[in-house]
Amino acid sequence: MAGRQSSPILEVERLRTHFMTRAGIVKAVDDVSFAISAGEIMGLVGESGSGKSITGLSIMRLIDVPGRIVGGRIRFRGEDLAAAPEQRMRALRGSRIAMVFQDPLMTLNPLLRVGTQMAEAITAHNREVSRTEARARSRDALGRVGIPAPEERLDAFPHQLSGGMRQRVAIATAILNEPDLIIADEPTTALDVTIQAQILHEIRKLCRQTSTAMIWITHDFAVIAGLAGSISVMYAGRIVEQGHLDDILDRPLHPYTRGLIRSVPSRNRRGRPLHQIQGSPPNLLALPGGCAFRDRCPHTDDVCNAEPDLELVRAEQAARCFHPQLEALA
Ligand SMILES: Nc1ncnc2c1ncn2[C@@H]1O[C@H](COP(=O)(O)OP(=O)(O)OP(=O)(O)O)[C@@H](O)[C@H]1O
Ligand SMILES: [Mg+2]
């Protein structure tokens, strides 16, 4: 939907990733579709356990047993990653598609100096790059994510850097090979708000300059306001609302999206009590039939015992709901 103006770099179609556990099948990602164009940032938003990380890891093909992609397509520049051989994925990971995790130590090796591991990330995909050139490119990438004195940082070990700096190094490592797509899984959540804002600002600039597409995963609408172009809201493994960021912030259709936005403190004017969505996310092992948000929704009626589809409600804004809310958010 959003971002179909130019041909998309990534098209996820009806992706389903399930975990075959002893207790039963966990449908962590169930029928998820979206498309992203070059240079576009898509926010993937939802509460804990809604399937955001598993969506990102599925695109990277980093799902381990007992999990498996059981259906759908992941078209990356026309090639279906869901069916690509592992060898092909290894060539793409870290070069054409990169992922940044919440914990930078998932990416950074604590035993290697920053410059050494960044240079390795380059030469792993291109053996013809000299050490001098790899170092220069690493220094340049550190500068691009706003790290002061990048030359000195190259000689540091990860533990010698602050959390914010480490996360910037992880992001710099992700952009080293100028990927077409970056999947950022809550990389700034652990950082304080000012540093988050700085990093986000730099990332947006970078995506524009290099036409890199990005999926920004977060549970917090406040983080992506002003960053993303389009939004997909996930609930219980499914997309429940999809559209342009501004449309969704002004006029969210799904009662769940409305609840998420109203729980953002900055929207909460004049000391009104902060909104909280009642209840808790459903157990994916025992999803009730019908709409998965039914038990928490203020608009539920008998119709919601059937399963809603994700359908366009207005131009370029879709919701999976029998009772989409049409008025602007107060
Ligand atoms: N290895 C696993 N085995 C069984 N279930 C799993 C496994 N990994 C993830 N899940 C389930 O998949 C669902 C989605 O998980 P996911 O990590 O994508 O959530 P998330 O939206 O990223 O949440 P958070 O905001 O907490 O990071 C969860 O309900 C989780 O319990
Ligand atoms: Mg997650």
Side-chain angles (χ1 to χ4, degrees):
M1 69 148 11
R4 289 250 164 102
Q5 306 88 327
S6 51
S7 85
I9 201 148
L10 177 76
E11 279 178 289
V12 173
E13 292 169 12
R14 318 210 72 148
L15 177 67
R16 292 159 67 230
T17 303
H18 295 177
F19 289 87
M20 323 304 168
T21 70
R22 269 195 214 137
I25 297 177
V26 178
K27 297 180 178 176
V29 173
D30 208 28
D31 194 18
V32 162
S33 302
F34 55 80
I36 312 176
S37 306
E40 188 190 354
I41 301 181
M42 183 191 89
L44 187 58
V45 196
E47 281 170 298
S48 186
S50 55
K52 308 180 297 295
S53 294
I54 299 300
T55 301
L57 292 168
S58 299
I59 296 167
M60 294 293 281
R61 280 272 306 279
L62 291 174
I63 300 293
D64 282 329
V65 274
R68 196 155 57 83
I69 296 175
V70 296
R73 292 206 172 92
I74 302 166
R75 256 190 249 282
F76 175 67
R77 301 172 66 177
E79 178 180 0
D80 183 14
L81 302 186
E86 175 54 29
Q87 196 186 3
R88 174 73 181 139
M89 290 310 302
R90 273 203 294 270
L92 290 173
R93 278 186 216 119
S95 66
R96 305 321 325 138
I97 312 175
M99 189 151 176
V100 185
F101 299 91
Q102 180 169 355
D103 179 0
L105 295 178
M106 293 272 287
T107 319
L108 302 180
N109 183 337
L111 302 177
L112 293 180
R113 290 181 200 277
V114 166
T116 312
Q117 48 193 305
M118 289 182 80
E120 275 178 11
I122 296 174
T123 52
H125 293 285
N126 187 349
R127 284 173 207 282
E128 276 153 37
V129 179
S130 71
R131 271 174 58 187
T132 322
E133 193 188 335
R135 189 173 171 92
R137 272 170 59 182
S138 304
R139 185 180 9 167
D140 177 56
L142 292 179
R144 277 158 72 193
V145 297
I147 290 187
E151 180 72 40
E152 287 162 39
R153 307 291 182 185
L154 287 175
D155 293 321
F157 287 96
H159 71 264
Q160 294 172 316
L161 305 172
S162 68
M165 279 300 153
R166 272 205 291 270
Q167 198 50 280
R168 281 173 203 248
V169 172
I171 294 167
T173 305
I175 62 170
L176 269 179
N177 294 310
E178 302 195 340
D180 303 302
L181 172 69
I182 296 177
I183 302 170
D185 192 352
E186 310 226 28
T188 60
T189 309
L191 307 177
D192 76 53
V193 178
T194 345
I195 293 174
Q196 272 197 46
Q198 265 174 27
I199 295 183
L200 294 179
H201 174 78
E202 279 146 14
I203 282 174
R204 194 174 48 166
K205 208 167 68 185
L206 254 163
C207 283
R208 285 199 182 133
Q209 283 168 354
T210 57
S211 291
T212 307
M214 180 173 289
I215 299 175
W216 191 276
I217 295 176
T218 179
H219 60 274
D220 185 354
F221 259 103
V223 172
I224 41 165
L227 177 78
S230 66
I231 295 288
S232 294
V233 181
M234 277 192 91
Y235 187 77
R238 300 191 146 183
I239 299 213
V240 295
E241 182 152 4
Q242 205 162 50
H244 297 287
L245 173 71
D246 294 341
D247 294 343
I248 289 186
L249 284 179
D250 289 346
R251 297 182 305 175
L253 293 165
H254 198 288
Y256 176 64
T257 316
R258 294 175 90 83
L260 278 181
I261 294 173
R262 284 168 61 215
S263 63
V264 170
S266 58
R267 278 195 62 93
N268 205 52
R269 290 170 300 231
R270 303 229 171 84
R272 271 188 292 165
L274 210 59
H275 176 80
Q276 239 191 329
I277 304 170
Q278 59 174 350
S280 45
N283 177 357
L284 293 183
L285 276 171
L287 272 186
C291 172
F293 190 58
R294 197 177 49 175
D295 294 344
R296 303 173 75 186
C297 182
H299 307 285
T300 305
D301 61 20
D302 287 348
V303 179
C304 309
N305 293 331
E307 194 144 339
D309 285 324
L310 183 66
E311 280 174 0
L312 274 183
V313 177
R314 26 173 108 92
E316 309 211 318
Q317 191 176 356
R320 191 186 288 276
C321 180
F322 292 114
H323 304 297
Q325 303 296 298
L326 299 176
E327 75 278 15
L329 208 58

